[in-house]
Amino acid sequence: MLRTRLTNARFLTMDPDHPVAHDLGIWRGRIVGLDDAVTSLPAHEVIDLQGATVLPGFIDSHVHLAWAGLKANTSSIAGLTRIDDVLAAVAEAVVRKGSPGAWVSIAGYDQRALGRHLTAAELDLVSHGHKIFLLHDSGHGCVVNSAVLDLLPADLPHEDGFLAEGAMGAARALRLPHSQRELADAIGRAARTCLAEGITACAEAGIGGTLFGHSPVELGAYQLAREEGLLPIRVQLMVAADRLRPATAHESDGIPRALDLGLRTGFGDDRLSVGALKIYTDGGMMARTAALSGPYEGLDHAGQLQDDPGALASTIVDGHLAGWQLAVHAIGDRAADLALDALERAQRLRPRPGARHRIEHAGLIRPDQLPRFARLGVSAVVQPNFLRYFGDDYAAIMGETRAPWLYRGRAFLDHGVPLVGSSDRPVTDGSPLRAVQFMVERTSVSGGVIGPDEGITVDEALRAYTVAGAYACRWEDDLGSLTPGKLADLVVLGDDPRRVDTSRIGDIEVVATFVDGRETEKTASDSPFQRWTHN
């Protein structure tokens, strides 16, 4: 007997051997068969999906759950466009904080909305003895007041209180880490939002690090969230490379640096596991710190690398030698050059054809870099919604020649490079369906078209959030398609993305999500589907 049979639906399986089905059988959380193989079998529960479209659960291969959950409960200045209004909002947050000398965190900072960066002196006017920390929406910078600057080394580089990259990390290090309790609750909030958008699995893009880490024991917060039932989706954890330590392993192991006890990619189970080693090589385009091979349009600089190029390359090579899958953050083309050079060197030293290394973001990739991605077997983990929401700005700062190279789609696929969809939540909207829409039409919210030749088909875009996501996270044996033997994670949609007008894809309703074959967002009594039970 089946545990559950889902019927009367259009299952888009993403499996070329059985691309469309109408019935799906589930036993012990896994898919056991499709159509005729299960239609006549008795089932404890039968759910009539009333003609809905069903896809494998979406996989977001690059998110920041803890950051997203914390941001949701943090005072924000998002949407404000006048300096005076921002300072008034900061003043209100200071009053609410109460205790003198305390830290006051503000989210939603983006200098582009204001026309320039705030300054420490301006924040001093409203801080009243508090330490002010405005986190840039990109996560790659912050603005602080003088009370914070006074605690930092005098030679730390900053621009009137704006701290970028490593300098921001120094300011973050002044603060007490978040508790595991606070982080577990934040992780749960963000995970439930993912679930409501049809996401059933994600890769947390870097825990424990200087830039995006929230605690030296951050992994424990994810364990706590799971133990307390706060983690309704599958999560793979990338570990920040600055957690590596020199290792005195046996010389035949060839491991120069490692996490304690040699922990690496693959540890864990299908609910919570350790994924790639996260290595940052540059910053971000929003903060103008992505490392380019030529200056930004209208600016006199080309961004920055996170560290000395030799040190960054050494970390990439050491991570490869230690057996990790690598997720190398490289947004600008200069950073991508560094990453590809280091990965090529690492593979020469110790060939690992199945390493499945990834370039996170791959925001600006020149035509000559595409064959190198393919030759090295590197996946491109892109964030289509960056261009959907920020595309006009990004195109302007890249200029006419480089703008078509932004967050590519077609060029990666044509070169045989795995194209993987993700959000970088909470930097921008996390909806996979809105990202799929952009990948097809390449149109920003203003109506501008960015790199139209990089548009791909709806099927290819859906693969980026299912099959390709599973491959990038090494989950292909269990996730990514509705194939017998795989876990029964799926998303029920109110319409078929392949049949509606492209402009409507992002607005398709996510009716329900199933994880391990169980509906997660609604109780049986609230479900819109007809159910009956066989005894």
Side-chain angles (χ1 to χ4, degrees):
M1 175 181 280
L2 300 173
R3 172 62 182 81
T4 305
R5 179 162 59 86
L6 305 179
T7 188
N8 188 19
R10 181 175 176 80
F11 294 93
L12 306 182
T13 68
M14 308 308 293
D15 181 348
D17 293 333
H18 195 144
V20 181
H22 54 78
D23 274 20
L24 182 146
I26 299 168
W27 174 249
R28 292 187 175 178
R30 290 189 179 268
I31 300 166
V32 295
L34 302 168
D35 292 342
D36 292 345
V38 298
T39 300
S40 61
L41 294 180
H44 175 74
E45 179 184 42
V46 177
I47 303 177
D48 183 341
L49 296 179
Q50 301 172 21
T53 296
V54 182
L55 281 157
F58 295 128
I59 297 170
D60 189 334
S61 298
H62 184 118
V63 302
H64 299 276
L65 290 179
W67 177 17
L70 291 170
K71 183 177 180 179
N73 276 15
T74 301
S75 298
S76 177
I77 56 172
L80 300 182
T81 58
R82 297 177 62 250
I83 299 290
D84 289 346
D85 291 340
V86 169
L87 294 177
V90 173
E92 290 179 13
V94 166
V95 170
R96 288 195 299 271
K97 196 68 177 181
S99 52
W103 285 88
V104 177
S105 294
I106 307 288
Y109 176 68
D110 187 343
Q111 85 286 355
R112 298 173 305 172
L114 302 173
R116 65 170 175 84
H117 280 299
L118 287 171
T119 67
E122 288 170 326
L123 291 177
D124 289 345
L125 297 174
V126 295
S127 59
H128 302 294
H130 291 71
K131 303 177 187 72
I132 309 297
F133 185 99
L134 273 66
L135 180 62
H136 195 278
D137 262 348
S138 68
H140 287 272
C142 65
V143 179
V144 299
N145 65 342
S146 297
V148 177
L149 292 177
D150 290 344
L151 300 175
L152 295 167
D155 59 351
L156 191 76
H158 69 89
E159 181 184 334
D160 296 328
F162 176 70
L163 304 166
E165 310 302 340
M168 178 197 70
R172 287 176 60 116
L174 295 172
R175 309 179 63 175
L176 289 174
H178 293 276
S179 71
Q180 288 190 346
R181 171 75 277 148
E182 185 180 10
L183 289 174
D185 291 340
I187 290 162
R189 281 193 296 273
R192 289 190 295 274
T193 300
C194 289
L195 198 65
E197 294 174 345
I199 297 164
T200 57
C202 71
E204 164 65 57
I207 62 169
T210 301
L211 282 180
F212 290 92
H214 299 92
S215 166
V217 290
E218 194 167 357
L219 190 152
Y222 285 84
Q223 290 181 291
L224 179 61
R226 180 185 177 176
E227 290 164 358
E228 295 192 346
L230 301 176
L231 201 59
I233 63 176
R234 306 182 196 282
V235 178
Q236 187 180 87
L237 303 172
M238 300 183 201
V239 178
D242 47 5
R243 286 291 162 187
L244 293 180
R245 301 179 182 180
T248 54
H250 193 281
E251 62 181 17
S252 65
D253 291 336
I255 299 176
R257 283 188 278 176
L259 290 187
D260 289 344
L261 300 178
L263 187 72
R264 60 176 173 82
T265 302
F267 183 82
D269 57 25
D270 61 33
R271 275 287 184 161
L272 183 63
S273 61
V274 173
L277 185 73
K278 179 71 176 295
I279 302 171
Y280 294 93
T281 64
D282 70 345
M285 286 187 188
M286 291 171 65
R288 311 316 196 218
T289 54
L292 311 179
S293 56
Y296 289 88
E297 285 286 312
L299 300 177
D300 61 357
H301 69 86
Q304 65 189 76
L305 296 171
Q306 291 283 359
D307 201 346
D308 173 77
L312 293 171
S314 176
T315 299
I316 291 171
V317 171
D318 286 356
H320 173 89
L321 295 178
W324 285 89
Q325 178 190 23
L326 303 180
V328 185
H329 168 115
I331 292 184
D333 60 328
R334 177 160 53 109
D337 278 334
L338 185 152
L340 294 169
D341 287 346
L343 290 172
E344 191 167 31
R345 176 184 162 205
Q347 290 285 16
R348 283 199 306 268
L349 291 173
R350 180 175 295 171
R352 288 175 53 210
R356 299 197 198 175
H357 297 321
R358 312 159 35 144
I359 299 291
E360 307 299 302
H361 306 296
L364 185 75
I365 300 300
R366 303 187 309 269
D368 64 286
Q369 293 174 315
L370 294 165
R372 298 193 68 195
F373 269 76
R375 187 168 65 251
L376 290 168
V378 175
S379 295
V381 184
V382 301
Q383 295 76 40
N385 278 335
F386 277 14
L387 288 194
R388 177 175 171 83
Y389 293 98
F390 312 139
D392 299 332
D393 173 61
Y394 285 13
I397 61 174
M398 290 302 108
E400 185 177 351
T401 299
R402 294 181 295 185
W405 306 342
L406 287 164
Y407 293 90
R408 292 176 178 271
R410 173 56 54 203
F412 282 129
L413 293 178
D414 286 352
H415 282 80
V417 176
L419 177 66
V420 184
S422 68
S423 69
D424 204 15
R425 182 193 306 269
V427 176
T428 191
D429 183 358
S431 165
L433 287 170
R434 283 190 278 275
V436 165
Q437 178 177 324
F438 176 83
M439 295 175 87
V440 178
E441 64 183 11
R442 301 286 297 187
T443 302
S444 72
V445 290
S446 74
V449 180
I450 300 108
D453 291 343
E454 293 296 329
I456 62 177
T457 69
V458 174
D459 277 335
E460 289 167 334
L462 291 173
R463 283 183 64 85
Y465 279 90
T466 54
V467 176
Y471 176 84
C473 296
R474 312 179 77 90
W475 278 329
E476 73 274 13
D477 289 342
D478 290 317
L479 301 174
S481 66
L482 302 181
T483 303
K486 292 192 178 184
L487 292 163
D489 292 4
L490 47 91
V491 55
V492 183
L493 302 178
D495 218 328
D496 184 341
R498 304 188 307 180
R499 294 184 169 184
V500 303
D501 185 89
T502 302
S503 63
R504 291 183 50 216
I505 292 175
D507 295 323
I508 292 175
E509 180 187 4
V510 175
V511 179
T513 51
F514 287 71
V515 177
D516 284 329
R518 298 181 182 275
E519 191 175 352
T520 55
E521 279 296 276
K522 299 178 175 70
T523 65
S525 60
D526 293 331
S527 174
F529 309 125
Q530 182 179 358
R531 299 165 183 259
W532 61 91
T533 300
H534 286 227
N535 295 318

